[in-house]
Amino acid sequence: MGFSADKLMILVVVTASMLVTVSVANRDWYNGGGSNYTTNWPWGPRNDSHSLNSTSTNKPNKIIVGGSEHWHYGFNYSVWAFQNNPFYVKDVLVFKYDPPSKSPFKHSVYLLPNMRSYLTCDLSRAKLIATTTQGDGKGFKFVLKKWKPYYFACGEHEGIHCRDGGMKFFVMPMHRRGHY
């Protein structure tokens, strides 16, 4: 009795998501004082563009997707999202990318309905949330309104940007302490 490829992939994804959830559940435990000197650990305080995303403020964070890289082909946004979590309900994701007139490569933003669509870059039931022109200037803003997983991808060239270009990521925003 063996596992099919689909069942094995689901098992791997579920296991990985559980590990991520557990590893970030108490991400700011080092702020509680005591003798936990974790400043230089990978999950300790950082000095990157997303380090302000903490529970110490009640204001939503404005997060530029990809940081200074913005939204483009060839950047691994799944790794970026993992390295820049946690995200919180009411945070604002800002997608910045050149419009078609400034670049020969078009980009868009789709919201995928589930993990399977995310893994396979299946855009057939995805919802277009930002067209190829909406990432210019101040960018397209998307508010994480609920405690649920959000799956994002570029839908250009029939999903090639998602599949081969790394232009996909997901976030599971958390509630800020005391705000449910």
Side-chain angles (χ1 to χ4, degrees), residues 1-9 11:
M1 170 173 32
F3 285 103
S4 69
D6 285 346
K7 287 181 182 177
L8 186 58
M9 180 59 80
L11 180 63

Side-chain angles (χ1 to χ4, degrees), residues 70-148:
H70 297 170
W71 186 239
H72 68 85
Y73 186 92
F75 184 80
N76 191 329
Y77 292 92
S78 296
V79 170
W80 170 85
F82 178 76
Q83 291 174 341
N84 288 279
N85 69 63
F87 296 89
Y88 295 97
V89 172
K90 297 185 183 174
D91 279 354
V92 179
L93 298 180
V94 181
F95 292 83
K96 290 186 172 191
Y97 48 93
D98 289 333
S101 62
K102 293 183 183 175
S103 170
F105 306 104
K106 294 191 235 176
H107 301 299
S108 57
V109 183
Y110 280 79
L111 191 59
L112 302 167
N114 54 46
M115 178 64 85
R116 184 178 182 100
S117 296
Y118 168 79
L119 291 172
T120 61
C121 291
D122 177 6
L123 298 162
S124 63
R125 295 187 309 139
K127 178 182 177 186
L128 176 67
I129 59 172
T131 66
T132 57
T133 59
Q134 289 180 280
D136 195 21
K138 293 183 180 183
F140 169 76
K141 294 177 179 141
F142 183 88
V143 178
L144 302 172
K145 295 179 182 177
K146 297 179 181 177
W147 179 65
K148 70 172 200 154

Side-chain angles (χ1 to χ4, degrees), residues 7-24:
K7 287 181 182 177
L8 186 58
M9 180 59 80
I10 290 170
L11 180 63
V12 168
V13 169
V14 168
T15 303
S17 66
M18 290 173 144
L19 289 172
V20 169
T21 302
V22 169
S23 69
V24 299

